[in-house]
Amino acid sequence: MHPVATFRDYAPGGRLRVAINHGNVILAGRDAAGAPKGISVDLARALAAELGCEAEFVEFDRAVDVSSRAEADVWDLCFLAVDQTRAQVIGFSQPYIRIEGNYIVAEASGATTPEDVVGLDLQIGIVEGSAYALHLARVPGAARLVSFANIAEARAALAGGNIDGLAGIRRAMEGIAAALPGMHVVDKPFMEIRQAMGVPAGRDRALSHLSAFLAVRARDGTVARILEAHGVDRDCAVMPDM
């Protein structure tokens, strides 16, 4: 496909606007000057280079802020966990990275597995609209979930003893547990979060190209190298189906 034609399929408005979700600390962050950096940024720039354009970053604090704007024409490319609810408004590529979702609980609770967390009827804090929140809302224990606007509010509730634990990305949970005495991460994940790239629903030609782009970059090791450059084990890269 001709690069210009492909670019227009992605960005009918003439600019490739890339949604960066700062709620996922594994995929995105900010450099010393405050500019976005991370896995999402590097992959977006690799795609933009193939399309012959520049990536213009549109920053969001939470995944739900990205997914809820899928039909608002404010971004053309996103990086989110695949979820059936989001897929109603977003066309997802195949996943390119696996991330574990884990609980933090008080050591005194006695919970050592995800099944214990549910069986002990623990109140678990979640960030609304996140991939793990959407998943947990559909499985046993959903009635005991406590929703927060962001991870800072959830962490404060845990520190204040208002909830029994938190659910989230393992790396983020490990950081919170290390800072809160008496807390530990339940080692067994409650889910495996598969992150993908996406476009607003209906941009089928762009989605087809995006899937092909990721498949090539996964097979030639580019995705693994980008993960490793940002401190993520290259084995977390997902190889495409043959």
Side-chain angles (χ1 to χ4, degrees):
M1 190 180 298
H2 190 277
V4 174
T6 301
F7 168 67
R8 287 295 180 179
D9 289 330
Y10 278 92
R15 300 176 301 158
L16 183 64
R17 301 164 299 174
V18 181
I20 297 296
N21 168 31
H22 287 290
N24 189 325
V25 297
I26 292 179
L27 298 184
R30 293 184 175 91
D31 63 19
K37 67 173 185 177
I39 293 167
S40 296
V41 171
D42 288 359
L43 280 172
R45 285 178 172 152
L47 175 64
E50 181 165 307
L51 298 177
C53 67
E54 295 290 328
E56 178 181 307
F57 298 111
V58 184
E59 301 179 62
F60 298 90
D61 291 328
R62 306 175 302 169
V64 68
D65 298 329
V66 178
S67 59
S68 65
R69 305 295 298 281
E71 298 178 296
D73 192 28
V74 295
W75 56 259
D76 303 299
L77 182 72
C78 72
F79 296 79
L80 291 174
V82 178
D83 179 83
Q84 63 190 40
T85 301
R86 293 173 179 172
Q88 296 175 19
V89 292
I90 298 171
F92 284 108
S93 70
Q94 75 279 5
Y96 64 91
I97 181 176
R98 293 183 292 264
I99 301 173
E100 293 181 342
N102 293 72
Y103 292 116
I104 294 175
V105 294
E107 293 172 357
S109 71
T112 59
T113 68
E115 293 76 18
D116 290 341
V117 172
V118 175
L120 291 169
D121 208 25
L122 301 183
Q123 277 196 315
I124 299 297
I126 55 172
V127 175
E128 61 181 350
S130 62
Y132 52 86
L134 293 171
H135 168 77
L136 291 173
R138 297 192 287 260
V139 299
R144 296 289 285 170
L145 297 175
V146 182
S147 186
F148 294 91
N150 53 59
I151 193 63
E153 290 185 9
R155 183 191 186 282
L158 180 62
N162 298 316
I163 53 177
D164 301 311
L166 291 180
I169 299 167
R170 178 186 282 274
R171 181 183 291 183
M173 296 299 98
E174 288 174 342
I176 293 173
L180 296 178
M183 297 290 168
H184 76 108
V185 175
V186 174
D187 189 58
K188 179 183 175 183
F190 61 79
M191 73 176 296
E192 181 181 80
I193 303 167
R194 293 195 164 227
Q195 294 280 342
M197 296 172 72
V199 296
R203 299 186 191 181
D204 295 341
R205 283 165 58 90
L207 181 57
S208 177
H209 178 273
L210 180 60
S211 295
F213 162 81
L214 266 179
V216 170
R217 293 297 184 262
R219 293 191 183 106
D220 70 11
T222 299
V223 173
R225 288 192 293 272
I226 288 174
L227 300 189
E228 206 165 48
H230 293 284
V232 176
D233 194 313
R234 65 189 297 119
D235 289 341
C236 292
V238 177
M239 291 302 294
D241 296 331
M242 299 301 290

